[in-house]
Amino acid sequence: MLSPILFVIIAAAGIGLFARKVGKIRRNIFLGQPLQRSDRTAARWATMARVAMGQSKMVTRPVAGFFHILIYVGFVLINLEVLEIILDGVSGNHRLFKPLLGDFYYFLISFFEVLGVGVILACIVFLWRRNVQPLARFKGPELTGWPRLDANLILLIELVLMSALFGMNIAEANMPEQGGYLVSNLLAPLFGGMSPEALHLTERICWWLHIIGIFAFLNYLPYSKHFHIILAFPNTWYAQLEPAGQFSNMESVKKEVELMMDPNANPYAATDPEATPARFGAKDVMDLPWKSLLDAYSCTECGRCTSVCPANQTGKLLSPRKVMMDTRDRLEEVGKNIDKNGSFIDDGKALLGDYITAEEALACTTCNACVEACPVLINPVSILTELRRYQAMEASQVPSEWALMFGNIENNGAPWQFPAADRLGWADNLEVKTSNPSA
Amino acid sequence: MSATKILHINTMAELMAKGEQAEILFWVGCAGSFDDRAKKITKAVAAILDQVGIRFAVLGTEESCTGDPAKRAGNEFLFQMQAMQNIQVMNMYEVKKIVTACPHCFNTLKNEYPGLGGDYEVVHHATLLQQLINEGRLRVADGGPFKGKRITFHDSCYLGRANGIYEAPRQLLEALDVELVEMKRSKTNGLCCGAGGAQMFKEAEKGTKEVNIERIEDALEVQPSVVAAACPFCMTMLSDGVKQKERENEIKVYDLAELIAQANGLID
């Protein structure tokens, strides 16, 4: 009776700790500014089904796409078996579903084993791609230290979990009246010479290793880039449905501009302090819309964005992946500050300057290549735009050429210094030919 | 055989004074109004609209920057001031439909003006020209000067990824019976020319290469005789790239409207 109690304690601790951390992440995300993203639910479900469940953007790079789908399908389906494992653990049974499902159970476990082989294969390929093959996007300057270790750890943990699952089944394959599943049957000779006691012990060790591994993995997720396996779903659901070229029209600015343009407005009327934001644009993570913060936690640092960024590919400092990693790192720092102090106490740091430099923000051509490339619909451009808004409207720190361009637009309605009166100059004596094949 | 005529361009104000209305507003944009190279694109568009008998007008001196470069550079105040001003003018003329040869103006007018009170049907000239060909109002296929030539098309970011328009420009080129060759990076994967996001108006940040050089190298790889563009800013960047590679004698950069207008014998 000891093991079900032990199991319940481990499970409760594992799930409880995970829920606590997720609660903190949720709080951090909602430190961001409000943004309406709950409209057109049918289109949102369709986007999530296509991009997150259907992995539609993964396959644009066929090799990574194929192996990623192996892991994804394996992970989702093998989790059905985890349900049985949890019920076994709580009830003290062994393979609870076996008598209920009969022959179908053998098919199911054999099918999971085949998927397990796929997962192991994919993990090995991914480890090779990250560490042996000289793949440029896994070697960026932001991908050293912890991010690099994190990526490798996840793959190794997945290998350990799969090995435990197979260890359990291979041990059973050598027991009378047990086993009989496709892959573990073939691998049964691996444990061929073992005594019944040793087999039983191996099976138990693998069982516990697997389930404790799963709870440990669950708690590792929120600290890791691997959290994308959960956040990919909400992140695609809440993605921008409007065309990628459409940037938000700032409501706070709209009010002020309307006041300026309205000849009947009373300029001395008290403005509603609630309606005025703390600042225009973003200096720190709390100034960003909450969706950008969800984006940051959803990023798995694959670097597809950076590998297509025109600025990055021509040697500029800007890397969209780094923008996402910086946003997450700063947000985590702000979260810890709140945990410690009850509410955020100014630490003299900010996203702009301490994490992302003005030079990086200025280098973006807003071409949306990074947005297009992201398999989970993250938008680095919107973060960079908010930083630029802060620079232009609060800090008044724009390159002198841009200041000149602003001045030209204000004075003569064009980014260059041409008189507005010459705007129709192109039409003076506009001579065209009249001979044409269509006539 | 090549007779010429002087084309009079109507302004919305002129038409209004006569109690008439334009079918469509031709939004020329700042580049199309002031940049010497882009003015040729403006002329090509006007010549085509005139030839097919579309009753169009321009705002002329009443047109002002859409505010796009200000918005991308972060100056939302200036953008909204420009937008409000332009919307007031267009609403006064009861504008229903707009065509423009600039993808940046197109994106801003189509996507960002509605939220500020400016609701219009906005088309980029590539889409309009393709519709005119489909409707049989514009013909280009009979022995145009570009028949069989190797032409590659550079996707403008604000037409392609920003608004999902990839096919209309290509269908135009196919109508010209050219040999359309794609660069290794095209359509959703197309590489920016380097001008967007208000980069046109400042020096690039420190790097190892200019974006337009990286892009023109993509184009040179497929050995085209013409690089086709659909944006006045891409036009500048690509033309500069070809010049820096000293290939301007063999490789021409043309806007789609110029190719169509030339094929129709409207311009040289």
Side-chain angles (χ1 to χ4, degrees), chain B residues 110-178:
Chain B
K110 172 178 162 282
N111 296 322
E112 290 160 358
Y113 274 32
L116 299 170
D119 273 297
Y120 320 102
E121 183 193 346
V122 188
V123 289
H124 182 263
H125 73 305
T127 307
L128 182 70
L129 297 183
Q130 193 238 325
Q131 282 168 357
L132 290 170
I133 288 172
N134 286 353
E135 289 165 9
R137 292 171 74 183
L138 183 62
R139 286 173 53 208
V140 282
D142 327 329
F146 302 105
K147 188 171 181 168
K149 283 210 171 148
R150 262 176 98 79
I151 298 190
T152 190
F153 176 68
H154 165 80
D155 288 279
S156 149
C157 303
Y158 274 84
L159 206 55
R161 277 187 295 269
N163 287 292
I165 299 173
Y166 301 106
E167 289 313 314
R170 289 176 170 79
Q171 285 175 15
L172 278 182
L173 291 171
E174 274 159 22
L176 284 170
D177 223 0
V178 307

Coordinates of all heavy atoms in Angstrom, one line a residue, chain B residues 110-178:
Chain B
K110 N -5.2 51.0 -47.1 CA -6.1 49.8 -47.0 C -6.3 49.3 -45.6 O -7.5 49.0 -45.2 CB -5.6 48.7 -47.9 CG -6.3 47.4 -47.7 CD -5.7 46.3 -48.7 CE -6.1 44.9 -48.3 NZ -5.4 44.4 -47.1
N111 N -5.3 49.2 -44.8 CA -5.3 48.6 -43.5 C -5.4 49.5 -42.3 O -6.1 49.2 -41.3 CB -4.1 47.7 -43.3 CG -4.1 46.5 -44.3 OD1 -5.1 46.0 -44.6 ND2 -2.9 46.2 -44.7
E112 N -4.8 50.7 -42.4 CA -4.6 51.5 -41.2 C -5.6 52.7 -41.2 O -5.8 53.3 -40.2 CB -3.2 51.9 -41.0 CG -2.4 50.7 -40.6 CD -0.9 50.8 -40.8 OE1 -0.4 51.8 -41.3 OE2 -0.1 49.9 -40.5
Y113 N -6.1 53.1 -42.4 CA -7.0 54.3 -42.5 C -8.4 53.9 -42.0 O -9.1 54.8 -41.4 CB -7.0 54.9 -43.9 CG -5.9 55.9 -44.1 CD1 -4.7 55.8 -43.5 CD2 -6.1 57.0 -45.0 CE1 -3.7 56.7 -43.7 CE2 -5.1 58.0 -45.2 CZ -3.9 57.8 -44.5 OH -2.9 58.8 -44.7
P114 N -8.9 52.7 -42.2 CA -10.3 52.4 -41.8 C -10.5 52.7 -40.3 O -11.5 53.3 -39.9 CB -10.5 50.9 -42.1 CG -9.6 50.7 -43.3 CD -8.4 51.6 -43.0
G115 N -9.5 52.4 -39.5 CA -9.7 52.6 -38.0 C -9.7 54.0 -37.6 O -10.0 54.4 -36.5
L116 N -9.3 54.9 -38.6 CA -9.3 56.4 -38.3 C -10.4 57.1 -39.1 O -10.4 58.3 -39.2 CB -7.9 56.9 -38.7 CG -6.8 56.3 -37.9 CD1 -5.4 56.7 -38.4 CD2 -6.8 56.7 -36.4
G117 N -11.3 56.3 -39.7 CA -12.5 56.9 -40.3 C -12.4 57.0 -41.9 O -13.2 57.7 -42.5
G118 N -11.4 56.3 -42.4 CA -11.2 56.4 -43.9 C -11.5 55.0 -44.5 O -10.5 54.2 -44.6
D119 N -12.7 54.7 -44.9 CA -13.0 53.4 -45.5 C -13.1 53.5 -47.0 O -14.1 54.1 -47.6 CB -14.4 52.9 -45.0 CG -14.2 52.2 -43.7 OD1 -13.5 51.1 -43.7 OD2 -14.7 52.7 -42.6
Y120 N -12.2 52.9 -47.7 CA -12.2 53.0 -49.2 C -11.8 51.6 -49.7 O -11.2 50.8 -49.0 CB -11.1 54.0 -49.7 CG -11.1 55.3 -48.9 CD1 -10.1 55.5 -48.0 CD2 -12.1 56.2 -49.0 CE1 -10.0 56.6 -47.2 CE2 -12.1 57.4 -48.2 CZ -11.0 57.6 -47.3 OH -11.0 58.7 -46.5
E121 N -12.2 51.3 -50.9 CA -11.7 50.1 -51.6 C -10.3 50.5 -52.2 O -10.2 51.3 -53.0 CB -12.7 49.7 -52.7 CG -12.3 48.4 -53.4 CD -13.1 48.1 -54.7 OE1 -14.1 48.8 -54.9 OE2 -12.6 47.3 -55.4
V122 N -9.3 49.8 -51.7 CA -7.9 50.2 -52.1 C -7.3 49.1 -52.9 O -7.3 47.9 -52.4 CB -7.1 50.6 -50.9 CG1 -5.7 51.2 -51.3 CG2 -7.8 51.5 -50.0
V123 N -6.8 49.4 -54.1 CA -6.1 48.3 -54.8 C -4.7 48.8 -55.2 O -4.5 50.0 -55.5 CB -6.8 47.9 -56.1 CG1 -8.1 47.1 -55.8 CG2 -7.1 49.1 -57.0
H124 N -3.8 47.9 -55.3 CA -2.5 48.2 -55.8 C -2.5 48.1 -57.3 O -3.4 47.3 -57.8 CB -1.4 47.2 -55.2 CG 0.0 47.5 -55.7 ND1 0.5 46.8 -56.7 CD2 0.9 48.4 -55.3 CE1 1.8 47.3 -56.9 NE2 2.0 48.2 -56.0
H125 N -1.7 48.8 -58.0 CA -1.8 48.8 -59.5 C -1.6 47.4 -60.1 O -2.2 47.1 -61.1 CB -0.9 49.9 -60.1 CG 0.5 49.5 -60.1 ND1 1.2 49.2 -59.0 CD2 1.4 49.5 -61.1 CE1 2.5 49.0 -59.3 NE2 2.6 49.2 -60.6
A126 N -0.8 46.6 -59.5 CA -0.6 45.2 -60.0 C -2.0 44.5 -60.1 O -2.3 43.8 -61.1 CB 0.4 44.4 -59.2
T127 N -2.8 44.6 -59.0 CA -4.1 43.9 -59.0 C -5.0 44.5 -60.0 O -5.7 43.8 -60.7 CB -4.7 44.1 -57.6 OG1 -3.7 43.6 -56.6 CG2 -5.9 43.3 -57.4
L128 N -5.0 45.9 -60.1 CA -5.9 46.5 -61.0 C -5.6 46.1 -62.5 O -6.5 45.8 -63.3 CB -5.9 48.0 -60.9 CG -6.8 48.8 -61.8 CD1 -8.3 48.6 -61.4 CD2 -6.5 50.3 -61.8
L129 N -4.3 46.2 -62.8 CA -3.9 45.8 -64.2 C -4.2 44.4 -64.5 O -4.7 44.1 -65.6 CB -2.4 46.1 -64.3 CG -1.9 47.5 -64.2 CD1 -0.4 47.7 -64.4 CD2 -2.7 48.5 -65.1
Q130 N -4.0 43.5 -63.6 CA -4.4 42.1 -63.8 C -5.9 41.9 -64.0 O -6.3 41.2 -64.9 CB -3.9 41.3 -62.6 CG -3.9 39.8 -62.9 CD -4.8 39.1 -61.9 OE1 -4.8 39.5 -60.7 NE2 -5.4 38.0 -62.3
Q131 N -6.7 42.7 -63.2 CA -8.1 42.6 -63.5 C -8.5 43.1 -64.8 O -9.3 42.6 -65.5 CB -8.9 43.5 -62.4 CG -9.0 42.8 -61.0 CD -9.4 43.7 -59.9 OE1 -9.6 44.9 -60.2 NE2 -9.5 43.2 -58.7
L132 N -7.8 44.2 -65.3 CA -8.1 44.8 -66.6 C -7.8 43.8 -67.7 O -8.5 43.7 -68.7 CB -7.4 46.1 -66.8 CG -7.8 47.3 -65.9 CD1 -6.9 48.5 -66.0 CD2 -9.2 47.7 -66.3
I133 N -6.7 43.1 -67.5 CA -6.3 42.1 -68.5 C -7.4 40.9 -68.5 O -7.8 40.5 -69.6 CB -4.9 41.5 -68.2 CG1 -3.9 42.6 -68.6 CG2 -4.6 40.3 -69.0 CD1 -2.5 42.3 -68.2
N134 N -7.7 40.5 -67.3 CA -8.7 39.4 -67.2 C -10.1 39.8 -67.9 O -10.7 39.0 -68.5 CB -9.0 39.0 -65.8 CG -7.8 38.2 -65.2 OD1 -6.9 37.9 -65.9 ND2 -7.8 38.0 -63.9
E135 N -10.4 41.1 -67.7 CA -11.7 41.6 -68.3 C -11.6 41.8 -69.8 O -12.6 42.2 -70.4 CB -12.1 42.8 -67.6 CG -12.6 42.6 -66.1 CD -12.7 43.9 -65.3 OE1 -12.5 45.0 -65.9 OE2 -12.8 43.8 -64.1
G136 N -10.4 41.7 -70.3 CA -10.2 42.0 -71.7 C -10.1 43.5 -72.1 O -10.1 43.9 -73.3
R137 N -10.0 44.3 -71.1 CA -9.9 45.8 -71.4 C -8.5 46.2 -71.7 O -8.3 47.2 -72.3 CB -10.5 46.6 -70.2 CG -11.9 46.4 -69.9 CD -12.4 47.0 -68.6 NE -12.4 48.5 -68.7 CZ -12.7 49.2 -67.7 NH1 -13.0 48.7 -66.5 NH2 -12.8 50.5 -67.8
L138 N -7.6 45.4 -71.3 CA -6.1 45.7 -71.5 C -5.5 44.5 -72.2 O -5.6 43.4 -71.7 CB -5.5 46.0 -70.1 CG -4.0 46.5 -70.1 CD1 -3.9 47.8 -70.9 CD2 -3.6 46.6 -68.7
R139 N -4.9 44.8 -73.3 CA -4.2 43.6 -74.0 C -2.7 43.8 -74.1 O -2.2 44.9 -74.3 CB -4.8 43.5 -75.4 CG -6.2 43.0 -75.5 CD -6.8 43.0 -76.8 NE -5.9 42.4 -77.8 CZ -5.9 42.8 -79.1 NH1 -6.7 43.7 -79.5 NH2 -5.1 42.1 -79.9
V140 N -2.0 42.7 -73.9 CA -0.5 42.9 -73.9 C 0.2 41.8 -74.6 O 1.3 41.9 -75.0 CB 0.0 42.9 -72.5 CG1 -0.2 44.2 -71.8 CG2 -0.6 41.8 -71.6
A141 N -0.5 40.7 -75.0 CA 0.2 39.5 -75.4 C 0.8 39.5 -76.8 O 1.7 38.8 -77.0 CB -0.8 38.3 -75.2
D142 N 0.2 40.3 -77.7 CA 0.7 40.2 -79.1 C 2.0 40.8 -79.3 O 2.2 42.0 -79.5 CB -0.3 40.9 -80.0 CG -1.8 40.8 -79.5 OD1 -2.1 39.8 -78.9 OD2 -2.6 41.7 -79.8
G143 N 3.0 40.0 -79.3 CA 4.4 40.4 -79.7 C 4.9 41.6 -78.9 O 5.6 42.5 -79.5
G144 N 4.6 41.7 -77.6 CA 5.2 42.8 -76.8 C 6.7 42.7 -76.9 O 7.3 41.6 -77.2
P145 N 7.4 43.8 -76.5 CA 8.9 43.8 -76.6 C 9.5 42.8 -75.6 O 10.7 42.6 -75.7 CB 9.3 45.2 -76.3 CG 8.1 45.8 -75.6 CD 6.9 45.1 -76.1
F146 N 8.8 42.3 -74.6 CA 9.4 41.5 -73.6 C 9.1 40.0 -73.8 O 9.5 39.2 -73.0 CB 8.8 41.9 -72.2 CG 9.1 43.4 -71.9 CD1 8.1 44.3 -72.0 CD2 10.4 43.8 -71.7 CE1 8.3 45.6 -71.8 CE2 10.7 45.1 -71.4 CZ 9.6 46.1 -71.5
K147 N 8.4 39.7 -74.9 CA 8.1 38.3 -75.2 C 9.4 37.4 -75.1 O 10.4 37.7 -75.8 CB 7.5 38.2 -76.6 CG 6.9 36.9 -76.9 CD 6.2 36.9 -78.2 CE 5.6 35.5 -78.5 NZ 4.6 35.5 -79.5
G148 N 9.3 36.4 -74.3 CA 10.4 35.4 -74.2 C 11.6 35.9 -73.4 O 12.6 35.1 -73.2
K149 N 11.6 37.1 -73.0 CA 12.7 37.6 -72.2 C 12.7 37.0 -70.8 O 11.7 36.8 -70.2 CB 12.7 39.1 -72.1 CG 13.1 39.8 -73.3 CD 13.8 41.2 -73.0 CE 14.4 41.7 -74.3 NZ 14.3 43.2 -74.3
R150 N 14.0 36.8 -70.2 CA 14.1 36.3 -68.9 C 13.8 37.4 -67.9 O 14.6 38.4 -67.8 CB 15.5 35.8 -68.7 CG 15.6 34.3 -68.8 CD 17.1 33.9 -68.6 NE 17.4 33.4 -67.3 CZ 17.1 32.2 -66.9 NH1 16.5 31.3 -67.7 NH2 17.5 31.8 -65.6
I151 N 12.7 37.3 -67.2 CA 12.4 38.4 -66.2 C 12.2 37.7 -64.8 O 11.6 36.7 -64.7 CB 11.1 39.1 -66.6 CG1 11.4 39.8 -68.0 CG2 10.7 40.1 -65.6 CD1 10.3 40.8 -68.4
T152 N 12.7 38.4 -63.8 CA 12.5 37.9 -62.4 C 11.7 39.0 -61.7 O 11.9 40.1 -62.0 CB 13.8 37.5 -61.7 OG1 13.5 36.8 -60.5 CG2 14.7 38.7 -61.4
F153 N 10.8 38.5 -60.8 CA 10.0 39.5 -60.1 C 10.5 39.6 -58.6 O 10.6 38.5 -57.9 CB 8.5 39.1 -60.1 CG 7.7 40.1 -59.3 CD1 7.5 41.4 -59.7 CD2 7.0 39.6 -58.2 CE1 6.7 42.2 -58.9 CE2 6.2 40.4 -57.4 CZ 6.1 41.8 -57.8
H154 N 10.7 40.8 -58.2 CA 11.1 41.0 -56.8 C 9.8 41.4 -56.0 O 9.2 42.4 -56.2 CB 12.1 42.1 -56.6 CG 12.3 42.7 -55.2 ND1 13.0 42.0 -54.3 CD2 11.7 43.8 -54.6 CE1 13.0 42.7 -53.2 NE2 12.2 43.8 -53.3
D155 N 9.4 40.5 -55.0 CA 8.2 40.8 -54.2 C 8.5 41.9 -53.2 O 9.5 41.9 -52.5 CB 7.9 39.5 -53.4 CG 7.3 38.4 -54.2 OD1 6.1 38.5 -54.5 OD2 8.1 37.5 -54.6
S156 N 7.6 42.9 -53.3 CA 7.7 44.0 -52.3 C 7.1 43.4 -51.0 O 6.1 42.7 -51.0 CB 6.9 45.2 -52.7 OG 6.3 45.8 -51.6
C157 N 7.8 43.7 -49.8 CA 7.3 43.1 -48.5 C 5.9 43.6 -48.2 O 5.1 42.8 -47.7 CB 8.2 43.6 -47.4 SG 9.9 43.1 -47.6
Y158 N 5.6 44.8 -48.6 CA 4.3 45.4 -48.2 C 3.1 45.0 -49.2 O 2.0 45.2 -48.9 CB 4.3 46.9 -48.0 CG 4.8 47.2 -46.6 CD1 6.1 47.2 -46.2 CD2 3.9 47.4 -45.6 CE1 6.5 47.4 -44.9 CE2 4.2 47.6 -44.3 CZ 5.6 47.6 -44.0 OH 6.0 47.8 -42.7
L159 N 3.5 44.3 -50.3 CA 2.5 43.8 -51.1 C 2.4 42.3 -50.8 O 1.3 41.8 -50.6 CB 3.0 43.9 -52.6 CG 2.0 43.9 -53.7 CD1 0.9 45.0 -53.4 CD2 2.6 44.2 -55.0
G160 N 3.5 41.6 -50.7 CA 3.6 40.2 -50.4 C 3.2 39.8 -49.0 O 2.1 39.6 -48.7
R161 N 4.2 39.6 -48.2 CA 4.0 39.2 -46.8 C 3.0 40.0 -46.1 O 2.1 39.5 -45.3 CB 5.3 39.1 -46.0 CG 6.1 37.9 -46.3 CD 7.2 37.8 -45.3 NE 8.2 38.9 -45.6 CZ 9.2 38.8 -46.4 NH1 9.4 37.6 -47.1 NH2 10.0 39.8 -46.6
A162 N 3.0 41.3 -46.3 CA 2.1 42.2 -45.5 C 0.7 42.1 -45.9 O -0.2 42.3 -45.2 CB 2.6 43.7 -45.7
N163 N 0.4 41.8 -47.2 CA -0.9 41.7 -47.7 C -1.3 40.5 -48.6 O -2.4 40.4 -49.2 CB -1.2 43.0 -48.5 CG -1.4 44.2 -47.5 OD1 -2.4 44.2 -46.7 ND2 -0.4 45.1 -47.5
G164 N -0.4 39.6 -48.6 CA -0.6 38.3 -49.3 C -0.8 38.4 -50.8 O -1.5 37.5 -51.4
I165 N -0.3 39.4 -51.5 CA -0.5 39.5 -52.9 C 0.8 39.1 -53.6 O 1.8 39.7 -53.6 CB -0.8 41.0 -53.3 CG1 -2.1 41.4 -52.7 CG2 -0.8 41.1 -54.9 CD1 -2.4 42.9 -52.9
Y166 N 0.7 37.8 -54.1 CA 1.9 37.2 -54.8 C 1.6 36.9 -56.2 O 2.5 36.9 -57.1 CB 2.3 35.9 -54.1 CG 2.7 36.1 -52.6 CD1 1.8 35.7 -51.6 CD2 3.9 36.7 -52.3 CE1 2.2 35.8 -50.3 CE2 4.2 36.8 -50.9 CZ 3.4 36.4 -50.0 OH 3.7 36.5 -48.6
E167 N 0.3 36.6 -56.5 CA 0.0 36.1 -57.8 C -0.3 37.1 -58.9 O 0.1 37.0 -60.1 CB -1.2 35.1 -57.7 CG -0.9 33.8 -57.0 CD 0.4 33.2 -57.5 OE1 0.6 33.1 -58.8 OE2 1.3 32.7 -56.7
A168 N -1.0 38.2 -58.5 CA -1.3 39.2 -59.5 C -0.1 39.7 -60.3 O -0.1 39.8 -61.5 CB -2.0 40.4 -58.9
P169 N 1.0 40.1 -59.6 CA 2.2 40.5 -60.4 C 2.7 39.4 -61.4 O 3.1 39.8 -62.5 CB 3.3 40.8 -59.3 CG 2.5 41.0 -58.1 CD 1.3 40.1 -58.2
R170 N 2.7 38.2 -60.9 CA 3.2 37.1 -61.7 C 2.3 36.9 -62.9 O 2.8 36.6 -64.0 CB 3.4 35.9 -60.9 CG 4.6 36.0 -59.9 CD 4.8 34.9 -59.0 NE 6.1 35.0 -58.3 CZ 6.3 35.9 -57.3 NH1 5.3 36.5 -56.8 NH2 7.5 35.9 -56.7
Q171 N 1.0 37.0 -62.7 CA 0.1 36.8 -63.8 C 0.2 37.9 -64.9 O 0.1 37.6 -66.1 CB -1.4 36.8 -63.3 CG -1.7 35.4 -62.6 CD -3.1 35.4 -62.0 OE1 -3.9 36.2 -62.3 NE2 -3.3 34.4 -61.1
L172 N 0.6 39.1 -64.4 CA 0.9 40.2 -65.4 C 2.0 39.8 -66.3 O 2.0 40.0 -67.5 CB 1.2 41.5 -64.6 CG 0.1 42.3 -64.1 CD1 0.6 43.6 -63.5 CD2 -0.9 42.7 -65.3
L173 N 3.1 39.3 -65.6 CA 4.3 38.9 -66.4 C 4.0 37.8 -67.3 O 4.5 37.8 -68.5 CB 5.4 38.6 -65.4 CG 6.0 39.8 -64.6 CD1 6.9 39.3 -63.6 CD2 6.6 40.8 -65.6
E174 N 3.2 36.9 -66.9 CA 2.8 35.7 -67.8 C 2.0 36.2 -69.0 O 2.2 35.8 -70.1 CB 2.1 34.7 -67.0 CG 3.0 33.7 -66.3 CD 2.4 33.0 -65.2 OE1 1.2 32.8 -65.1 OE2 3.2 32.5 -64.3
A175 N 1.2 37.2 -68.7 CA 0.4 37.8 -69.8 C 1.3 38.5 -70.9 O 1.0 38.5 -72.0 CB -0.6 38.9 -69.3
L176 N 2.5 38.9 -70.4 CA 3.4 39.5 -71.3 C 4.3 38.5 -72.1 O 5.1 38.8 -72.8 CB 4.4 40.4 -70.5 CG 3.9 41.8 -70.1 CD1 4.9 42.5 -69.2 CD2 3.7 42.7 -71.3
D177 N 4.0 37.2 -71.8 CA 4.6 36.1 -72.4 C 6.1 36.1 -72.2 O 6.9 35.7 -73.1 CB 4.4 36.2 -74.0 CG 4.1 34.8 -74.5 OD1 4.0 33.9 -73.7 OD2 3.8 34.7 -75.7
V178 N 6.5 36.5 -71.0 CA 8.0 36.5 -70.7 C 8.4 35.1 -70.1 O 7.5 34.3 -69.8 CB 8.3 37.6 -69.7 CG1 7.8 38.9 -70.1 CG2 7.8 37.2 -68.3

